[in-house]
Structures are given as structure tokens and as C-alpha cells.
Amino acid sequence: MPAQDPKKRARELREQIEWHNYRYHVLDDPEIPDAEFDLLMRELIELEQAHPELVTPESPTQRVGAAPVGSLPVVTHSVPMLSLENAFTEEDVIAFDRRVRERLETDDGVEYAAEPKLDGLAVSLRYEHGRLVQAATRGDGVRGEDVTHNVRTIKAVPLRLRGTPPELLEVRGEIFMPLAGFKALNERAQARGEKTFVNPRNAAAGTLRQLDPRLTARRPLDVYFYGLGETRGWKLPARHSEILEQLREWGLRISPLLEVVRGVEGCLAYYREVGQQRASLPYEIDGVVYKVNSLIQQRELGFIARAPRWAIAHKFPAHEVSTVLRDVEFQVGRTGALTPVARLEPVFVGGVTVSNATLHNMDEIERKDVRIGDTVIVRRAGDVIPEIVKVVVNKRPPDARVVRLPKKCPVCKSDVERVAGEAVARCTGGLYCAAQRKEALRHFASRRALDIDGLGTKIIDQLVESGRVKSPADLYGLTVEELAGLERMAAKSATKLVAAIERSKQTTLARFLYALGIPEVGERTAEALASYFGSLEALQEATEAQIQEVPDVGPVVAAHVRHFLDQPHNREVIAALRGHGVHWPAQARRAAAEGGPLAGKTFVLTGTLDSMSREQAGERIAALGGKVTGSVSKKTDYVVVGAEPGSKLAKAQALGVPILDERAFLELLG
């Protein structure tokens, strides 16, 4: 078969890629999976690399960004980008509709095009003969900044329009950053110790005004178009909504929530409907926009100052407002995590009065430099718990106080532990603390722990709320009569539960350690601790450094174990459990295989092995002096791969870590 003409193939690939981009970004109805789309892009990239003369400015491969520009040139808009008047109440909207009807001299309900008002950055894109030639920000409405180099990197922006667009088409739209992309962007910045963005709008604006388009290409910007600027060679339809539908056919994204409504009642119904969806939308909106749908009526209504008489923005209650931070208190969650809660000067935000807001953890407080007495920006979106997003530093009073993490739990007075490298601080009184009581009991009785069949959530709730059970040790003093008196608990069920509690006294050291609920100690770590130390007494006497010698136990886990066992309340509960007869078979302490053939080697296991379980594989490695960890890094010596491996295999390949299949692993074990 003769080789295909490169020029023809490049044209075919561009057409296919443009079609699939249109299906994905505009119609939200992709025809092929992402992997197939990536193959088309890869083929086009390779073809253009082999034949540089085939590269065109509108090729999809050119979205990755060119060299940085020195500055952002000024663009004068051929048609000014006007602002909209705002409506904050239903009465404002009713008054707007009345003015429209009075000027049109009609008592009939006016037809409006309604759509969400995106909280992003307004732009104007200029297409000549269907090709994108310029993109500019709104600026002051008359002059904006040329951001063509950055807008070209946005996948939802077509570099060439579909079909037969007019000779000149200037479209107006809103560039924004989706919430998921904003969150990921800030998480990456925080991990690198860089400054984070306050909200998606700031992130979009900052990204669009970058001088280096390669940076813009790495950030998740999106766009919806909502109107026109200058046009030439197009006889406009009769209605605004028809204009938007035509833009969609040419490949320009419009809001999927666009609706045509009748009269002020239709406007307000649309406002309420979109308001209910607001918290679940993948992007931020701050209101809805109503536009008289008829272009003839728009021309008749005209303009006032810098705003049209035929459109208005109906704003939602503010998401962000400023107030004063009066105090910070720490709440203890069911897992012992201490969460700082801001006590605020009450303020109306997001439709409700807010007096409390979350501060997440001490890392967040320190990163944002939040102090008691500060003026802060508070955000509330839908039903999301209000949070402090920023401090207004220039309003900080001289007596503002630094927030300190308490040394003792505010509930049970046990020590508060904050392990190096972790953001969360925890109460160490896990077996005693009232705030953790229900969760501790549920975990203690779970199937993989002490396995107390019949001790469900509702029974635990009643026992704790009545004050009868304050720690796991109290379970072993319960009688049939006491349990039979609980709601939905008959004598027969009570008898069975008492028998199950009695049976749970005979367990293993590994299960017992897991049942204690020590932070970061799962089943596998509990097995490793039990196997290494052989007895509870030996573990209780071990230093943090000695605990770190256990295979698969690092400094964070060792610190958690030592802190937990050092708490007098926890030791009392453990002693009470032993006093009630909870016991396990004695086992010999396993000495560290320091001189073994795998000494100093670190392994990671992924997938299913045929000859043994992963736990058994870990034990074999440890017996020969090796260590098993849960994550792949450059320090990993081997990754052992069984059937259906997870993402650890790909990471090992990327880092160049040696990979062993089961046969090679068995040979290594000898």
C-alpha cells in the first residue's frame, strides 16, 4: 500500500481532532474515549515534527503555548464591552421589567433570554474568515489587553470555526476556572510552598494575564460565550437566543443552562431554579442575567450611560464578605482530630447569618497567618461550611493574638499530639475521650478487631448516651438484664450479645492492637508489631526508636504508637481490659534479621501473588532482614508485582525502580 500523503493526512487529523473537540467541549457528547483522542493528537504531533512545513497557526498542536511575550499590548474594542446594571432583590427585577414594558408600550409579558452569570473574566474574541486572530480582556470597556497568546491554549476555544462563519465575527464570553481545577491548582501550589489563589476568579484572571502562555496551557481554563461585538457578512437572526444557538453550531460554547422565559414571573422562577443548582455546579456563578430576547426590542430600548436598558444582572447573596475574628476554639472529632473553629462577629453571607467558620488545621492557620482580632474574608457556598479564605492584613490591630494549639485535649485533658509532617493534631486519649467514645467502641467491636457480633451502632449509641459505657473495658461488665432494657433489644438478643462479648475475650495480640484504634495502625501494622515484639508488655516498654525497627513502621507510625501508649488514660483502659480476661496466646518475640540477605532493602508489593498472600510475602521479606513499605519512591529497592497490579507499577516504571514478577521474587527469597 503506498504511503499516505503527509499533507492530506495532517488535514484529516486536524479535522477529526476539531470534530471531537466540538463534541466534547461544545456538545458535551464525546464520540470516542480520551485514549483514542490522545492517539490522534500524538499522530498529528509526530507528523508535524517530521514535516515542520505542515504546521499551521490554528493546528490543535499549537495550543501548548509559544515563547513568552514581553508585555500585554492594548486593544481598542471596535464595539465597547458594556457593563450591566445589578438587581439585588426581586423588587429590583420587577422594577426593571416594568421599565422595559413602559418603554416598549406593552402590557404583554416580555420574552427574556436567561442564563447564569459566571464569576470569571470577560473577554472578546475576534474571528476573521473563521480563524481566531485576536483575544482581548474587557479592561475599561473601551480598551483591554491583548491575551491572544493565552486564549489560544484553552481547549474549549476553537482556533477555527466550524461550517461557514461570517467574514468577521467578534464574540463576547466569560473565561473561568472550574472548581475542581482550582482546587488541584492550589493543592499543587501549596505542596511547592507557593502562594495560593483566593478564589477561582482570581486564578482565572491571573492565569489569563500571564506573559508566558506555556504556564497558561498547564492551567484548567474554560469558557462560555454570551454575546456579540462587531460582525460583518452575517444577517443576524431575530432573537438573542437564536444568535447563541448559531454560535454553538460554529463551535463556540454557550451555557447549557440558557433558557427563554416569559415575563417577570419567568425570570424569578429561573433565578430560584438556578439558585438551587448553584452549589452543585462545577463552576462559580454570582447571579443570573436577563436579556430582552427580541433584537428589534433591544434596539428600541437602547442604552443608558455604559449599560443597556434591555439587560440586567440579578445577583445572588454574596459568597464572600469581611468580618472580625473574635476567638478560635478547638473541637475534637470522633477520630480525635482537633479542628480549629473561628468565632466571628456575625455577618450575613450566602443568604444566612454566619458566626462560625472552619479553619481546617494549624497548617492552614499558619499559612494564612490568621490571628485573633483580624479582619478576615469569609466565604460560604451553598450548604458548604463557611471558611476563612484570607486575612485583611492592613486592618490588623496592634493587639491581634497568634493562635496557639492547645497542649491538652479540651474534652478529656489527654495530651494533644501533632506528629512532624502531619497537618492534623489529635487527642491521644482514644480509649477514654468522650468525643471519640462512640467511634472507638465501633472500631473495637468491628469484625477485624475484637469481632463482637451484634454490637451495632444503635446499641453503642444507647450505651454511651446513657453513661453506662465510657470505654471498651465497660463492655465486659454488661449484663443480660441491662442490655434487655435497651430499645429494640429483647432478652434473647441480649443473651446472644453477652455471649459474643465473652467470646471476644479470646483473641490475638495483633487483633487487640488493631482494636485499640491507635492512629495509623491498621491490621498489617498491628501484625508487624505483634510479631516483632511478641508481647504487649514488650511493646509498652519499647522506645520510639525501637518501634521504628519494626518492618513497615516509619517515624510517623512509631510516634503515634508511643504517644498513644504513654497516655495514663489509655494504659488504664488496657489494664482494665486485661483484668476482665481479654487474652491471647503467647508468642515468641521475633528478633530483627539484621544480618539477613535482604538487610537494608526496601520492598513495595502490588497485585495478587499466586504462591502466598501479600502479608505472608511481607513476613518472608522481614525474616530475611528486608522492609516492606506502602508507597514507591526513589529509595525503593524492588517493587514486587502480582496479578492486577495497581498504580504503584506505573510509578515504579517512571522512577526506574527494579520490578520483580512472582518468579523472580521467589528466586530472590531462595
Side-chain angles (χ1 to χ4, degrees), residues 400-413:
R401 292 181 286 126
V402 174
V403 179
R404 306 288 186 191
L405 179 70
K407 295 181 179 180
K408 297 290 183 180
C409 170
V411 176
C412 72
K413 306 307 177 188

Side-chain angles (χ1 to χ4, degrees), residues 543-620:
T543 65
E544 194 170 316
Q546 289 171 328
I547 296 172
Q548 279 193 56
E549 294 175 3
V550 179
D552 206 20
V553 172
V556 171
V557 175
H560 280 307
V561 173
R562 191 64 269 155
H563 278 117
F564 185 93
L565 295 176
D566 281 342
Q567 297 308 300
H569 296 314
N570 292 338
R571 296 181 81 100
E572 288 171 11
V573 174
I574 291 170
L577 287 166
R578 302 294 300 276
H580 280 292
V582 177
H583 65 285
W584 46 86
Q587 62 186 85
R589 176 172 180 169
R590 187 174 70 197
E594 294 177 359
L598 300 183
K601 302 295 183 183
T602 300
F603 291 74
V604 171
L605 306 172
T606 181
T608 304
L609 301 175
D610 291 330
S611 58
M612 66 185 79
S613 68
R614 280 162 59 173
E615 288 73 17
Q616 291 169 329
E619 290 176 2
R620 294 282 298 276

Side-chain angles (χ1 to χ4, degrees), residues 38 40 64 95 164 175 195 241 243 251 325 347 359 504 644 659 670:
D38 292 341
L40 294 174
V64 294
T164 54
I175 287 178
K195 184 180 178 181
S241 58
I243 289 175
L325 175 64
V347 63
L359 285 163
S504 73
E644 299 182 7
I659 296 169

Side-chain angles (χ1 to χ4, degrees), residues 313-334:
H314 189 180
K315 304 296 284 289
F316 288 128
H319 265 342
E320 295 183 354
V321 296
S322 64
T323 187
V324 176
L325 175 64
R326 294 302 183 197
D327 200 0
V328 173
E329 297 177 2
F330 287 82
Q331 294 181 345
V332 184
R334 59 186 179 83

